[in-house]
C-alpha cells in the first residue's frame, strides 16, 4: 500500500497519468461532438428526396450551411451543382423534338461525386486537432524510457556507502526508486496501448458510420452528370430557345396585321359609321331650319 501511494505521488507517474487522461478526455469529447452533429444532419436530411429537392433547395442549403461539419464543404459543393429539368434539341428548322428526362434524373445534378466534397477529411478531421491526437501514443511511449532513465539516475544518486547503516537505508530507497522507474515504462506503454485502442474504436464506432450515412444520403439526392454532358444539355437548350425566338419574330408581322384589321373592323369602322350618321342628321336639321327662314340657312 505504501508503495502504491508513493507511486501515485511520484511526479513522472503523475505526468504520464495526467497526459493520458487529458488526451483521452479531449479526444472522446470531440468525437462525441462531431458524431452528434453528423447524426443530427442525417436526421434533418431524411425527409429529402430527388423529387422534392428542387423546391426545397433553400431549406436543404440552410441545413448544410448551419451544420458545422458540412458548412465549409458545402460552399465548394455549390459550384458543382447543375439546375436542369428537361433537355430539348432542335431537329429541323420548323420541327422541334423534346426529350423529357425529369423522371429519370434529378432536377438538381452535380458534376462531381459526393465523396469528393463530403468525406472524413472535410467533415470530421477539421473539427478536432488530428495532429495532437496522432502524437499522443508517441508522446506517452516516449515518457516511458525518459522517466525510467531519470528515476534510475536519481536512484543511483541516493546511494551512500559511508556506513553500514546508511547503506541499508539508501539501498531500500534505491530499490523503491528502481521499482518506480520500471513502473514508469509500464504505465507509459500501457497508457499508449489503451489510448490507441480507444481512439481507433471511438473513430470506428462514432465517426465513420455517421459520416458514411451522411455521404450515402447526399449521394441519393443527386445524380452525377459529366461536364461534357452538361455542355451538350446547354447547347440543346440554346437551340430550342433560338427556335422559339425565331418563331416569335416570324409571327410578329402576321399578328400585327391581324391586330390592325381587328381594330379597324371592331373599333374604327363603327365609329366612322356613327360619325357619318351624325353629320347627315345635322345636315337634315339645318336644311329644315333654312326652309323656315332661319339666318343660318345654307351654312351647312
Amino acid at each position: 500500500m505504501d508503495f502504491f501511494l508513493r507511486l501515485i505521488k511520484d511526479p513522472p507517474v503523475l505526468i504520464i497519468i495526467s497526459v493520458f487522461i487529458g488526451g483521452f478526455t479531449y479526444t472522446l469529447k470531440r468525437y462525441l461532438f462531431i458524431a452528434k452533429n453528423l447524426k443530427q444532419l442525417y436526421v434533418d436530411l431524411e425527409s429529402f428526396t430527388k423529387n422534392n429537392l428542387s423546391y426545397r433547395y433553400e431549406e436543404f442549403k440552410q441545413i448544410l450551411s448551419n451544420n458545422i461539419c458540412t458548412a465549409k464543404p458545402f460552399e465548394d459543393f455549390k459550384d458543382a451543382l447543375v439546375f436542369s429539368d428537361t433537355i430539348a434539341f432542335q431537329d429541323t428548322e420548323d420541327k422541334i423534338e423534346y426529350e423529357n428526362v425529369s423522371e429519370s434524373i434529378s432536377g438538381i445534378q452535380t458534376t462531381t461525386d459526393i465523396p469528393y466534397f463530403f468525406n472524413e477529411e472535410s467533415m470530421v478531421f477539421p473539427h478536432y486537432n488530428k495532429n495532437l491526437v496522432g502524437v499522443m501514443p508517441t508522446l506517452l511511449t516516449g515518457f516511458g524510457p525518459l522517466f525510467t532513465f531519470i528515476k534510475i539516475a536519481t536512484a543511483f544518486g541516493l546511494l551512500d556507502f559511508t556506513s553500514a547503516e546508511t547503506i541499508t537505508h539508501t539501498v531500500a530507497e534505491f530499490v523503491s526508486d528502481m521499482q518506480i522507474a520500471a513502473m514508469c515504462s509500464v504505465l507509459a506503454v500501457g497508457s499508449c496501448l489503451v489510448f490507441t485502442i480507444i481512439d481507433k474504436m471511438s473513430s470506428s464506432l462514432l465517426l465513420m458510420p455517421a459520416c458514411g450515412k451522411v455521404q450515402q444520403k447526399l449521394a441519393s439526392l443527386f445524380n452525377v452528370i459529366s461536364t461534357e454532358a452538361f455542355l451538350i444539355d446547354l447547347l440543346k437548350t440554346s437551340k430550342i430557345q433560338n427556335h422559339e425566338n425565331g418563331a416569335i419574330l416570324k409571327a410578329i408581322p402576321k399578328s400585327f396585321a391581324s391586330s390592325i384589321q381587328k381594330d379597324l373592323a371592331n373599333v374604327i369602322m363603327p365609329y366612322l359609321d356613327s360619325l357619318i350618321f351624325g353629320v347627315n342628321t345635322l345636315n337634315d336639321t339645318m336644311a329644315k331650319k333654312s326652309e323656315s327662314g332661319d339666318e343660318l340657312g345654307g351654312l351647312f
Side-chain angles (χ1 to χ4, degrees):
M1 188 66 182
D2 293 338
F3 172 75
F4 178 76
L5 292 176
R6 185 178 177 186
L7 178 66
I8 293 299
K9 294 179 180 180
D10 196 75
V13 175
L14 288 176
I15 292 174
I16 294 173
I17 294 176
S18 299
V19 171
F20 170 75
I21 294 176
F24 172 77
T25 303
Y26 169 80
T27 302
L28 190 59
K29 183 178 179 181
R30 296 308 299 174
Y31 282 5
L32 290 173
F33 172 76
I34 297 169
K36 179 182 177 181
N37 278 274
L38 290 174
K39 290 178 180 178
Q40 183 60 48
L41 176 63
Y42 181 79
V43 171
D44 294 338
L45 294 176
E46 275 190 312
S47 61
F48 287 88
T49 64
K50 288 182 181 179
N51 296 329
N52 63 23
L53 182 62
S54 296
Y55 61 84
R56 294 183 63 188
Y57 175 73
E58 288 301 322
E59 180 184 355
F60 173 82
K61 176 181 175 181
Q62 185 176 8
I63 290 173
L64 266 68
S65 299
N66 291 341
N67 193 287
I68 188 174
C69 294
T70 54
K72 180 61 174 65
F74 182 68
E75 289 297 319
D76 301 326
F77 177 66
K78 289 191 296 184
D79 297 332
L81 293 179
V82 177
F83 296 81
S84 175
D85 288 324
T86 57
I87 301 174
F89 61 92
Q90 183 175 347
D91 185 31
T92 62
E93 229 178 74
D94 299 320
K95 181 182 177 183
I96 190 163
E97 294 181 1
Y98 295 90
E99 182 185 356
N100 192 344
V101 293
S102 295
E103 296 181 358
S104 60
I105 64 172
S106 168
I108 305 178
Q109 305 166 71
T110 174
T111 57
T112 310
D113 291 332
I114 293 296
Y116 181 81
F117 294 101
F118 299 97
N119 49 53
E120 294 86 354
E121 292 287 344
S122 61
M123 293 193 295
V124 176
F125 296 156
H127 306 295
Y128 71 93
N129 194 324
K130 184 181 177 182
N131 294 329
L132 176 61
V133 175
V135 81
M136 284 299 298
T138 304
L139 184 63
L140 290 171
T141 304
F143 281 158
L146 174 65
F147 291 133
T148 295
F149 286 115
I150 290 177
K151 291 298 295 183
I152 291 174
T154 56
F156 276 108
L158 294 175
L159 292 175
D160 187 357
F161 298 98
T162 56
S163 64
E165 184 179 351
T166 57
I167 291 175
T168 303
H169 177 70
T170 55
V171 166
E173 291 184 353
F174 172 78
V175 173
S176 178
D177 280 357
M178 290 297 288
Q179 289 177 328
I180 294 176
M183 289 303 299
C184 286
S185 293
V186 173
L187 284 174
V189 175
S191 60
C192 171
L193 293 175
V194 172
F195 181 87
T196 302
I197 292 172
I198 294 177
D199 176 39
K200 298 301 180 183
M201 290 183 61
S202 300
S203 177
S204 300
L205 296 176
L206 294 176
L207 300 183
M208 296 304 106
C211 182
K213 291 177 69 175
V214 171
Q215 282 181 325
Q216 292 177 359
K217 182 59 182 178
L218 291 175
S220 69
L221 298 178
F222 298 95
N223 285 95
V224 179
I225 182 174
S226 65
T227 306
E228 294 79 4
F230 170 67
L231 293 176
I232 292 174
D233 293 348
L234 184 62
L235 178 61
K236 292 176 179 179
T237 304
S238 299
K239 286 184 177 181
I240 186 175
Q241 291 176 346
N242 292 337
H243 181 275
E244 291 177 348
N245 292 337
I248 292 173
L249 290 175
K250 289 180 181 179
I252 286 178
K254 184 177 180 180
S255 299
F256 181 75
S258 176
S259 177
I260 293 297
Q261 185 178 3
K262 186 176 180 180
D263 290 342
L264 288 173
N266 297 335
V267 179
I268 298 179
M269 293 303 296
Y271 174 76
L272 292 177
D273 289 342
S274 299
L275 183 62
I276 292 173
F277 177 76
V279 171
N280 290 336
T281 302
L282 182 61
N283 284 334
D284 291 342
T285 302
M286 292 300 102
K288 291 179 181 180
K289 288 186 176 291
S290 177
E291 290 176 358
S292 63
D294 195 296
E295 294 180 357
L296 296 175
L299 182 60
F300 289 88

